[in-house]
Amino acid sequence: MRRSTPAVIAAALAVLALGAAPVALGQDPGSGGGLGPPESATPSGEAINQLYWFVFAVCAVVFVAVETALVLFIIRFRRRRSATEETEGPQIHGNTRLEIIWTLIPAVILVGIAVVVLARSSAVEATSGNRSNELVVEVQGHQFYWQYVYPEGQIAIDKLVLPVDRPVKLELVSYDVNHSWWVPELTGKRDAIPGRTNELRFTPTEEGVYEGRCAELCGVLHTVMPTTVEVVTQTEYESRLRLLTGQDEPGATQLALGRETWDRVCAKCHGLAGEGDLGPPVAQSGTLVDAEALTDLLENGQDLPANEGYMPPVGRGWPPFQVEALIAYIRSNERLAAPQPPAQEGEG
Ligand code: CUA
């Protein structure tokens, strides 16, 4: 036993040193030094960070107290040289006062943490304050992309633009399996679950570009389900919205929506030029320009036996103008479809 004492002390010191490493390396503790949450661009995210560091501080105090006591006890009560193998220490049975103390201390700590967390929960959920001019955006989780629908029906994929200093409410839905919307610099994550609508509120207070991703394993391409949130001025937000398609309108915005839909939905499996990747090659396929067949495939997917040719219902819930925009883009792209005579374009 005597030989193991220095080893235990060394191990305890190593654990302590590991805990202090980020600080010792000079990393900014405010950003967690890579171990904690990033600095937040919203008050609700800031509330989450404060709770994180509060709980971390309590745990750190407990950790240091327990480890210090452990090391001191190892040294203080180690086996003396004079002791023989048979010598036993004093045998103590029961100490009511001690047991009450070490039951009460953890209870007080846990109740304290609970009180602080509950008191801050409305700040985390961003339910307090004036939210009369709240911007409501529908967020659809799909295999494998995020579709954003703005209040007037404009559609964007994987990239959300928000005005700074305006409260936002995301309404999260899913058309296939569970996904989870997570942009760590804005606020906590929230699931998008089929059959229900989850809400996520926050107010971005700093302009910038924030990266996020799907945080719920949702299938084979879960890893290519990132998202970007760009926070801009109100004027910039309005001009960005005008670039998005919300109606059945031919022209530049329709082609832009079609292209975005191809690039961020279809191409993730079938390649940018339809050359095939995880999914089969589809370039020049008749289905691509057949509105009825394409709509059916997008809404219902395809599930051939033995998992050969499985395709999720990627376009479930799309408005008809999105399918039309997709077909318009496919027709405009010679690699995807044979050029069509102009008379057949711009239908509907
Ligand atoms: Cu969607 Cu993971």
Side-chain angles (χ1 to χ4, degrees), residues 58 62 66 98-114:
V58 172
V62 171
V66 169
L98 202 56
E99 285 177 18
I100 288 175
I101 289 174
W102 72 42
T103 303
L104 273 183
I105 290 177
V108 167
I109 292 174
L110 292 179
V111 169
I113 289 176

Side-chain angles (χ1 to χ4, degrees), residues 35-193:
L35 294 178
E39 273 181 43
S40 185
T42 68
S44 44
E46 191 50 43
I48 293 174
N49 287 3
Q50 285 166 359
L51 283 177
Y52 176 91
W53 289 113
F54 167 68
V55 174
F56 183 92
V58 172
C59 294
V61 169
V62 171
F63 177 81
V64 169
V66 169
E67 296 305 313
T68 306
L70 180 65
V71 171
L72 289 179
F73 280 31
I74 288 170
I75 295 168
R76 173 75 181 79
F77 299 106
R78 72 189 186 280
R79 192 194 296 271
R80 308 281 161 175
R81 261 178 219 286
S82 56
T84 65
E85 288 294 315
E86 288 73 35
T87 312
E88 285 195 58
Q91 303 297 299
I92 302 164
H93 296 279
N95 186 326
T96 310
R97 200 171 66 160
L98 202 56
E99 285 177 18
I100 288 175
I101 289 174
W102 72 42
T103 303
L104 273 183
I105 290 177
V108 167
I109 292 174
L110 292 179
V111 169
I113 289 176
V115 166
V116 173
V117 168
L118 287 175
R120 296 294 287 154
S121 67
S122 73
V124 168
E125 293 290 329
T127 46
S128 49
N130 177 18
R131 303 191 70 86
S132 54
N133 67 336
E134 194 168 65
L135 172 66
V136 182
V137 180
E138 183 178 275
V139 181
Q140 304 173 350
H142 291 264
Q143 288 171 315
F144 296 95
Y145 63 98
W146 295 103
Q147 176 144 319
Y148 297 104
V149 185
Y150 290 90
E152 278 157 40
Q154 298 95 328
I155 288 173
I157 299 172
D158 286 350
K159 186 165 181 175
L160 176 65
V161 176
L162 294 175
V164 71
D165 291 330
R166 181 165 168 198
V168 179
K169 179 171 82 170
L170 301 183
E171 291 183 339
L172 293 129
V173 296
S174 169
Y175 283 83
D176 38 50
V177 299
N178 291 2
H179 304 269
S180 182
W181 192 88
W182 190 31
V183 181
E185 286 166 284
L186 294 181
T187 187
K189 62 183 80 157
R190 189 126 311 163
D191 284 357
I193 297 173

Side-chain angles (χ1 to χ4, degrees), residues 331 340-347:
R331 284 196 167 135
Q340 298 284 311
Q344 292 194 12
E345 286 188 359
E347 290 172 1

Side-chain angles (χ1 to χ4, degrees), residues 179 214 216-218 222 225:
H179 304 269
C214 177
E216 177 74 52
L217 184 60
C218 56
H222 160 71
M225 215 178 144

Side-chain angles (χ1 to χ4, degrees), residues 214-269:
C214 177
E216 177 74 52
L217 184 60
C218 56
V220 66
L221 290 183
H222 160 71
T223 50
V224 293
M225 215 178 144
T227 190
T228 303
V229 178
E230 193 174 350
V231 178
V232 298
T233 61
Q234 177 70 28
T235 325
E236 174 71 11
Y237 168 73
E238 282 160 17
S239 67
R240 294 288 192 91
L241 270 198
R242 281 194 288 275
L243 299 176
L244 300 176
T245 305
Q247 310 295 328
D248 180 5
E249 44 182 313
T253 61
Q254 187 196 36
L255 275 187
L257 174 63
R259 185 194 182 115
E260 191 165 304
T261 302
W262 176 270
D263 288 357
R264 294 177 180 165
V265 181
C266 313
K268 280 177 182 168
C269 279

Side-chain angles (χ1 to χ4, degrees), residues 145 147 155 157 245-274 282-299 311-338 340 344-348:
Y145 63 98
Q147 176 144 319
I155 288 173
I157 299 172
T245 305
Q247 310 295 328
D248 180 5
E249 44 182 313
T253 61
Q254 187 196 36
L255 275 187
L257 174 63
R259 185 194 182 115
E260 191 165 304
T261 302
W262 176 270
D263 288 357
R264 294 177 180 165
V265 181
C266 313
K268 280 177 182 168
C269 279
H270 297 288
L272 276 177
V282 291
Q284 310 294 327
S285 156
T287 309
L288 287 185
V289 286
D290 178 337
E292 205 176 314
L294 186 63
T295 304
D296 181 59
L297 184 63
L298 291 167
E299 270 181 18
M311 171 170 160
V314 287
R316 191 170 286 169
W318 286 1
F321 71 78
Q322 190 172 6
V323 182
E324 284 159 24
L326 177 60
I327 293 178
Y329 171 69
I330 289 168
R331 284 196 167 135
S332 76
N333 185 322
E334 285 182 18
R335 292 181 300 176
L336 296 176
Q340 298 284 311
Q344 292 194 12
E345 286 188 359
E347 290 172 1

